[in-house]
Amino acid sequence: MSDLEAALSAAVRGEVGFDTTSRALTTMDASNYRRVPLGVVAPRDADDVAAVLEVCRTRGVPVVARGGGTSIAGQATGTGVVLDFTRHMNRVLSLDPDARTAVVQPGLVLDRLQDAAAPHGLRFGPDPSTHGRCTLGGMIGNNACGSHSVAWGTTADNVRELTVRTVRGRTLRLGPGWAGAPEGLRELADGELARLRTGFPDLPRRISGYALDALLPERGADVARSFCGSEGTLGVVTEATVRLVEAPRAAALAVLGYADESAAAEAAAGLLPLGPLTVEGMAADLVPATAGLPRGGAWLFVETGGDTEEEARARAHAVVRAADVVDARVVTDPAARRVLWRIREDASGTATRMPDGTEAWPGWEDCAVPPARLGDYLRDFRALLASHGLRGTPYGHFGDGCIHVRIDFDLLTGPGIARFRRFSEDLADLVVAHGGSLSGEHGDGQARAELLPRMYGAETVALFARAKAVWDPDDLLNPGVLVRPAPLDANLRFAALPRRPVDVAFGYPADGGDFSAAVRRCVGIAKCRTTEATGAGVMCPSFRVTGEEEHSTRGRARLLHEMLAGELVTDGWRSTEVRDALDLCLSCKGCRSDCPVEVDMATYKAEFLHHHYAGRRRPAAHYAMGWLPVWLRWASRLRAAPLVNALARVGPVAAAAKRLGGIAAEREVPRLAARPFSRWWHGRRPARPAGEGGELVVLWPDTFTEHLSPSVGRAAVRVLEAAGLRVALPPTRRWRGALGDGRSRTPAALLPARRGRVCCGLTYVSTGQLDRARAVLRRTLGLLAPVLESGAPLVVLEPSCAAALRTDLPELLHEDPRARRLAGQVVTFAEALERYAPGWTPPAVDRPVAGQTHCHQHAVLGDAAERRLREAAGLTGELSGGCCGLAGDFGFERGHHEVSVACAEERLLPSVREAGPGAVVLADGFSCRTQLEQLAGVRGRHLAEVLADALEGRPGEEAGAGEAGER
């Protein structure tokens, strides 16, 4: 333990982390920059903050205050001690609805303040797109704004008082007036009144530099306001009193379509006299084709409020009438508005990929100009991009003249970095020429502070340095930011990464086969750090349970980045730090769909485990559950299911087996089916004579359906055949003939199906046994040759297996064209009915549903067809999002039970408990059904089972019913 670490550990009650993991998690924020800290402290209170400042001051160690780590200019990184306020100092201390104020701690996430204010009809006005994870301390430091700033202003406009600790131990209570100001600040302001009155552009979004003009007497000498936006360089906020505003009781969204972004920008300022709550702009490059927006190449999102929905709608229509648009749409439904706002909020992530997949980066994310000049500025901005051979898609707060953009800078090579600098200098001049501010929201940080003299002039920048010296004479608070800044092209986060692609097993087709590029996808906007899952979202269940950064998608990506860099994490693929962070990754694949940049941590985890255990003994669970298809197939061949089931119920035997297999002692071993699905299939009487029937579909006998839930397979066959389809199973040996095509395809009865030996390789992939997975998948492709030749759809009942065939197969066997062909033939049960039996009407079930959409279904497959099938059958209600927590082998593995249960308790189990007595509990995945059975005594059912029961005239089972005796 170093002297600094020992001194901090003795001085504070909070956690002190000088270990590799703690440091690696805070090397970066959401910017292009990386700085390695000495250590991290999570203070419990203001006294801890004072103690850290004292210890660091006596040793000359810099201190950086960090909130959610979503800053995009580098100001939440540092080389000294990082203060993490999110762990303890994260509460609403009080809320006064009459005064419309709240007292908060700096680590409080904005959404938690909104939750506390909402019952009183109040809210905090500023709302950055990162509202689910950014903190009030970070918002104060960067003077954050958000989409509603045209109505409610910036964070500085909504701060009443601040309690601040200085680096020399003073506690200051700042507000309007000089009472709490540090000594010397008033004298500095009084001596520079002329400069303060003339040297600061009058803009709604001027965030650059220090807001020293707030100290003017005619502005009330507002020291608290002046402190906002100082980026942690003056003092450390330990408490804040903020203003709350009245939230409109109803809202409507006018979506205005324009020919292009310049036309939208020119129109934005003209809408401000109508009193909108938002005037946000986006271009077509960032909007999914399925968004359902009105015609146009760019759009303004103009939100209006009112006491009633009718009033809000009328104001929205007034906006439409006042606007000269290509097309328009008014949206009042809250769910539909949330979908549209989600597109806007995710833009900071989606903008990091150009339409052709090229990487794009922040750096000039927040320039702002007078709103009336925005159209001209954007045209000049586009021309400047073109002159430098760069591309970017502007979006953002058009009503405030503030533009966000990610640009396809090459930050990996010397010439690319040189062009980054030249463009930055030219763009700074362009912004100033339009009367603008280098930063219009997120602060200057390292990205822009070097260029502040171009905006303010050398004399005003020198005044900033004098102000910094008044507050922080030792220059220990976030040095290198704002005053005496580091060069904008130093400390780039990619400098330490390997220049040549590392040898990997997966193909990473979206990243050019480069694992480093895949890891670079995480830009740090931290959507994975939201503390509550909403809607159908899944990402990131382990973070929501533990609250620890290392168990978030971003945290794991940071550790992988440091592993590749080799400076902090020095043992590469053998790293125990990376292994431990990945240990609680459920491989739910939620990040693949919910992360705006489509980080796929499940794949990265499999890749890491493959290398980490290469040539070494693996955990017992990898052999017990990774090889599950083999053990179950042997049990079936030996007709040993009754014996295995009996032994699993003998306490000492079961305990020993679980201990040997690395299985959690709390888990029950699932019962094996006495009659596997394919054995039932082989012995059944064909539904119709050979050659008769409709379209042929091949039903995939996955391991779970085959050996553990054959009732699902039997039900699927019943429904598919009732819909007029011919059902076959895959061959169990290499087949020289072909299935033929059209109506001449070989009927199901002629396909040999005694043993289902095809396998998707899921259990091997999830445990990182990728060589074995490739061998299994190559064998499967050989067996499926006639299916591939025929083009017959492959119906996969288990969502996780379908997802593995759709994604893991072509990415793991990326050199084999058969893999892509097979992935394209995979359909879900509902997709098969919709595509190949379009005229069939399902039986009426007419009951409500409860349960959860399978995480892999949500992330990889999509559930649109399943929703339509449920609706056609009269199954009403919504399934919850989230993850069941069992997640294949995860919830069975020793050491995971507590997290597994907590994940289930987040959404799945409450949704079932709250269901009415007549509800059908739907769970298409075996893991989900097992979790329901073991934790709640509830039998979840596959949609195929529910429809098959309805075809037979059986009412089905109630929510809460015990396990059926299918075994």
Side-chain angles (χ1 to χ4, degrees), residues 33-52:
Y33 301 100
R34 170 183 176 269
R35 293 189 289 180
V36 180
L38 297 174
V40 182
V41 177
R44 289 190 174 273
D45 52 28
D47 289 341
D48 269 5
V49 173
V52 171

Side-chain angles (χ1 to χ4, degrees), residues 329-386:
R329 175 187 172 198
V330 172
V331 183
T332 57
D333 176 66
R337 284 191 290 110
R338 281 195 297 272
V339 169
L340 293 174
W341 277 121
R342 195 170 299 124
I343 296 171
R344 165 62 186 86
E345 290 175 354
D346 285 350
S348 59
T350 55
T352 63
R353 283 295 186 275
M354 305 300 293
D356 63 359
T358 304
E359 295 170 310
W361 305 107
W364 285 94
E365 185 78 0
D366 301 293
C367 299
V369 299
R373 301 186 64 166
L374 184 59
D376 290 338
Y377 166 73
L378 278 178
R379 276 186 285 271
D380 290 345
F381 172 77
R382 285 289 195 185
L384 183 64
L385 278 175

Side-chain angles (χ1 to χ4, degrees), residues 363-452:
W364 285 94
E365 185 78 0
D366 301 293
C367 299
V369 299
R373 301 186 64 166
L374 184 59
D376 290 338
Y377 166 73
L378 278 178
R379 276 186 285 271
D380 290 345
F381 172 77
R382 285 289 195 185
L384 183 64
L385 278 175
S387 71
H388 284 270
L390 297 169
R391 296 174 298 161
T393 302
Y395 66 98
H397 313 293
F398 281 23
D400 274 334
C402 180
I403 293 301
H404 298 317
V405 65
R406 301 280 167 120
I407 300 172
D408 64 339
F409 298 122
D410 168 16
L411 299 178
L412 299 174
T413 67
I417 294 170
R419 180 166 59 169
F420 167 61
R421 167 170 282 281
R422 291 193 302 272
F423 174 82
S424 299
E425 293 168 344
D426 290 348
L427 182 55
D429 291 338
L430 177 64
V431 171
V432 172
H434 281 274
S437 174
L438 303 187
S439 172
E441 181 161 18
H442 290 295
D444 299 304
Q446 188 175 343
R448 291 176 287 271
E450 181 190 352
L451 303 173
L452 284 176

Side-chain angles (χ1 to χ4, degrees), residues 122-141:
L122 302 173
R123 57 164 290 162
F124 188 63
D127 57 345
S129 61
T130 54
H131 53 82
R133 57 270 191 199
C134 70
T135 66
L136 269 294
M139 293 178 68
I140 292 166

Side-chain angles (χ1 to χ4, degrees), residues 27-94:
T27 57
M28 293 175 279
D29 49 17
S31 71
N32 298 327
Y33 301 100
R34 170 183 176 269
R35 293 189 289 180
V36 180
L38 297 174
V40 182
V41 177
R44 289 190 174 273
D45 52 28
D47 289 341
D48 269 5
V49 173
V52 171
L53 292 173
E54 175 61 21
V55 169
C56 289
R57 186 185 65 81
T58 59
R59 290 163 174 78
V61 174
V63 177
V64 176
R66 181 180 172 101
T70 56
S71 296
I72 57 175
Q75 60 268 70
T77 68
T79 57
V81 170
V82 174
L83 290 174
D84 176 10
F85 289 103
T86 61
R87 189 170 300 180
H88 301 300
M89 297 181 68
N90 55 14
R91 293 177 294 146
V92 177
L93 298 178
S94 65

Side-chain angles (χ1 to χ4, degrees), residues 607-689:
E607 183 76 62
F608 175 83
L609 293 176
H610 168 69
H611 295 279
H612 185 75
Y613 289 110
R616 297 198 294 176
R617 194 174 80 174
R618 290 172 164 271
H622 287 199
Y623 301 108
M625 289 175 282
W627 284 63
L628 187 65
V630 172
W631 312 137
L632 292 179
R633 192 157 56 244
W634 275 106
S636 173
R637 289 176 179 175
L638 298 173
R639 309 286 176 124
L643 176 61
V644 172
N645 291 338
L647 291 175
R649 297 303 177 264
V650 177
V653 175
K658 285 187 280 189
R659 207 162 38 244
L660 183 64
I663 298 171
E666 300 90 341
R667 286 290 177 187
E668 294 180 20
V669 177
R671 291 175 62 84
L672 275 60
R675 191 183 191 194
F677 169 65
S678 60
R679 194 175 299 157
W680 167 84
W681 168 269
H682 183 68
R684 72 190 287 261
R685 180 176 298 175
R688 56 178 60 86

Side-chain angles (χ1 to χ4, degrees), residues 657-747:
K658 285 187 280 189
R659 207 162 38 244
L660 183 64
I663 298 171
E666 300 90 341
R667 286 290 177 187
E668 294 180 20
V669 177
R671 291 175 62 84
L672 275 60
R675 191 183 191 194
F677 169 65
S678 60
R679 194 175 299 157
W680 167 84
W681 168 269
H682 183 68
R684 72 190 287 261
R685 180 176 298 175
R688 56 178 60 86
E692 293 185 8
E695 188 82 16
L696 175 71
V697 297
V698 179
L699 186 63
W700 179 270
D702 64 84
T703 294
F704 308 102
T705 299
E706 172 73 2
H707 299 289
L708 299 166
S709 292
S711 67
V712 174
R714 297 195 298 265
V717 172
R718 173 74 180 92
V719 176
L720 293 169
E721 290 186 339
L725 299 173
R726 290 183 298 145
V727 182
L729 294 195
T732 59
R733 62 176 183 268
R734 291 187 181 272
W735 193 263
R736 292 189 176 183
L739 288 175
D741 52 26
R743 297 289 178 175
S744 65
R745 289 175 183 159
T746 303

